[in-house]
Amino acid sequence: MRAVIVEDEMHSRETLRNLLEEFCKDVEVAGLAGTVNDAVEVIRKVKPDIIFLDIELQSGTGFDVLSQVSDLAFDVVFTTAYEHYAIRAIKFSSLDYLLKPIDLEELQLAISKARTHQN
C-alpha cells in the first residue's frame, strides 16, 4: 500500500513515517509534503492508496488539499491535534481520524480499515 504523509511539522511527519516503516510493513511511504501545493504535487505524482493528512497546515488546510485532488481515488486518514474538525472530516468521507500524538494501535487499525476498504 502506497502512502503519502502531509504534515507541516517535520517532527510529526518523521514520527509518523517511522511508525509506518517500523510497524506497518506492507505500507510504503512513497511521498512526504509539508504544504498544500507540495501535497497536491506529490499526490498527483505518487497516486497513493492512502494519505495521512494533517488538517492545519501553515499554507492552508488538509481540506484545501482534498479539494484540489478530488478527481483521484485514495483513502484519507486525518491526523490532527484537534477534535473539533471531526465532523468536517466525516463529511469528506475520511477513513479514520487520528489524534496526535498518534497511537500505534489506532494507526494499525486505520491501516487495517484501508486494506479492507481497498479489497
Side-chain angles (χ1 to χ4, degrees), residues 20-75:
L20 289 167
E21 288 177 349
E22 187 169 346
F23 299 104
C24 303
K25 297 297 185 191
D26 63 334
V27 176
E28 170 198 356
V29 178
L32 301 168
T35 67
V36 170
N37 289 340
D38 288 349
V40 170
E41 184 178 322
V42 169
I43 291 165
R44 290 202 175 281
K45 179 180 176 186
V46 170
K47 295 184 178 39
D49 302 302
I50 188 168
I51 297 174
F52 293 91
L53 184 60
D54 189 12
I55 293 179
E56 289 192 359
L57 304 168
Q58 290 181 3
S59 61
T61 69
F63 302 117
D64 297 330
V65 172
L66 293 178
S67 68
Q68 293 183 49
V69 293
S70 61
D71 58 315
L72 300 176
F74 47 78
D75 287 318

Side-chain angles (χ1 to χ4, degrees), residues 53-99:
L53 184 60
D54 189 12
I55 293 179
E56 289 192 359
L57 304 168
Q58 290 181 3
S59 61
T61 69
F63 302 117
D64 297 330
V65 172
L66 293 178
S67 68
Q68 293 183 49
V69 293
S70 61
D71 58 315
L72 300 176
F74 47 78
D75 287 318
V76 177
V77 175
F78 284 105
T79 58
T80 184
Y82 307 100
E83 292 180 358
H84 62 272
Y85 289 113
I87 299 298
R88 190 164 177 201
I90 290 168
K91 291 181 180 185
F92 270 86
S93 300
S94 67
L95 183 70
D96 213 331
Y97 191 93
L98 304 178
L99 289 174

Side-chain angles (χ1 to χ4, degrees), residues 94-114:
S94 67
L95 183 70
D96 213 331
Y97 191 93
L98 304 178
L99 289 174
K100 296 176 191 173
I102 304 290
D103 178 81
L104 177 58
E105 288 181 20
E106 289 183 13
L107 176 62
Q108 290 173 322
L109 181 59
I111 295 297
S112 178
K113 285 182 192 177

